[in-house]
Amino acid sequence: SESTSRREKPFIGLDIGCGSGYLTVCMGHILASDDSKIYGIDHARELIELSRNNTAKSHQSFLDSGRVAYYEGDGFLGLPEKGPFDFIHVGAAVEEIPEELVNQLTPGGALVIPVGPQGGEQKLVKLTKLSSSSASSDVRKEEIMTVVFSRMNDEPPKSEKEKAQGIAEEMRELYKEGKEITEALQHWQATFKTEHGRKPSAGDMAKDTRIKGLLTRFKDLQREIQKTENTFSKARQEEEKEAA
């Protein structure tokens, strides 16, 4: 990729679904020079606050200079007022790539996004915009690898009750995904035992790219479920305050 030190203009990047802010800050280190900007966006107000707080702990200068900034909003819509972007990363899966995000790329800019159904086969896709045209023929598509991501949420809720309902739905999806991964692992283990006459070892699992990916996702999923349960508990409290 083009070195930021040789660029004629500041680098502008967007991290959709910024979560804890970890990757947004990494992008600030790796991709941006001092005069460049990295924006993080998430639909959940609590996650935006978490991102800002985490960034302030060790990279307050990024916030002070505007090198990194966070916004609450609908990731499907991107952040057009801050674009166009040289790079957009999406941290949640979609079944169809939002055209709005492709339109917010600069010529030569890249969009990296997981594509596929919740609980089904997903591919990490890289789209490179070849020109300023919005025509699909002016976009190069590459499939990088098979991945497993949670789905991308719709626009942010307008009330505390809607927020709690949305988080509850997210929890149901996470539980469902956890069950599907568990069943897939059990099926693979049973098939392996039938074919090899023994239970698979940790080494056997590590050699299978798909199983290794599922195990990694399962560990991440457990952390997501814990975090979502905590967020749901706080959302219910806020819902009760709003209704009082």
Side-chain angles (χ1 to χ4, degrees), residues 130-144:
L130 304 179
S131 73
S132 58
S133 171
S134 60
S136 59
S137 59
D138 287 325
V139 177
R140 182 174 68 244
K141 180 178 178 181
E142 305 169 64
E143 290 188 353
I144 300 174

Side-chain angles (χ1 to χ4, degrees), residues 4-244:
T4 57
S5 63
R6 297 197 300 269
R7 294 179 60 87
E8 297 179 356
K9 64 181 183 65
F11 184 97
I12 303 178
L14 178 63
D15 181 23
I16 297 176
C18 56
S20 67
Y22 172 80
L23 185 57
T24 315
V25 170
C26 288
M27 290 171 65
H29 269 295
I30 299 170
L31 301 176
S33 58
D34 290 337
D35 57 349
S36 296
K37 308 291 183 184
I38 303 296
Y39 299 100
I41 184 171
D42 206 293
H43 77 287
R45 186 181 313 159
E46 293 86 354
L47 293 180
I48 291 299
E49 293 174 356
L50 176 63
S51 294
R52 287 181 180 138
N53 291 337
N54 285 340
T55 304
K57 290 177 183 177
S58 57
H59 294 82
Q60 182 64 49
S61 62
F62 279 17
L63 297 175
D64 293 340
S65 66
R67 182 169 178 173
V68 168
Y70 298 100
Y71 292 85
E72 178 184 350
D74 183 355
F76 280 106
L77 302 179
L79 202 63
E81 64 270 25
K82 298 298 182 181
F85 300 100
D86 299 287
F87 180 78
I88 299 176
H89 165 263
V90 181
V94 298
E95 294 195 23
E96 295 185 6
I97 298 173
E99 184 177 341
E100 189 70 26
L101 299 184
V102 179
N103 291 339
Q104 290 177 42
L105 290 172
T106 60
L111 165 66
V112 174
I113 182 170
V115 180
Q118 177 80 14
E121 184 178 69
Q122 299 173 354
K123 297 289 185 181
L124 189 63
V125 173
K126 177 183 177 183
L127 293 180
T128 303
K129 192 172 185 179
L130 304 179
S131 73
S132 58
S133 171
S134 60
S136 59
S137 59
D138 287 325
V139 177
R140 182 174 68 244
K141 180 178 178 181
E142 305 169 64
E143 290 188 353
I144 300 174
M145 61 188 295
T146 299
V147 293
V148 181
F149 277 78
S150 296
R151 68 179 177 84
M152 189 170 176
N153 289 318
D154 295 327
E155 63 180 276
K158 298 177 175 61
S159 70
E160 296 300 334
K161 181 177 180 179
E162 289 177 327
K163 182 185 296 183
Q165 290 173 340
I167 297 172
E169 175 61 27
E170 184 177 350
M171 281 198 304
R172 284 192 289 270
E173 292 287 350
L174 291 173
Y175 293 147
K176 179 182 177 182
E177 184 182 351
K179 181 180 178 182
E180 290 171 347
I181 291 176
T182 299
E183 290 174 349
L185 290 172
Q186 291 174 340
H187 180 267
W188 182 85
Q189 290 173 327
T191 302
F192 184 97
K193 185 176 181 180
T194 299
E195 293 177 351
H196 300 274
R198 61 178 177 84
K199 294 182 178 180
S201 65
D204 294 322
M205 292 184 172
K207 291 177 183 177
D208 190 300
T209 304
R210 175 174 171 268
I211 296 304
K212 185 178 180 181
L214 287 176
L215 288 171
T216 300
R217 174 56 186 158
F218 190 73
K219 291 179 182 179
D220 292 340
L221 192 63
Q222 290 176 312
R223 289 192 289 269
E224 284 187 40
I225 289 173
Q226 181 63 55
K227 182 173 68 175
T228 304
E229 288 175 342
N230 292 338
T231 303
F232 178 72
S233 177
K234 293 178 182 178
R236 288 299 301 271
Q237 293 174 8
E238 292 300 321
E239 179 188 352
E240 291 172 359
K241 290 179 182 178
E242 185 179 67

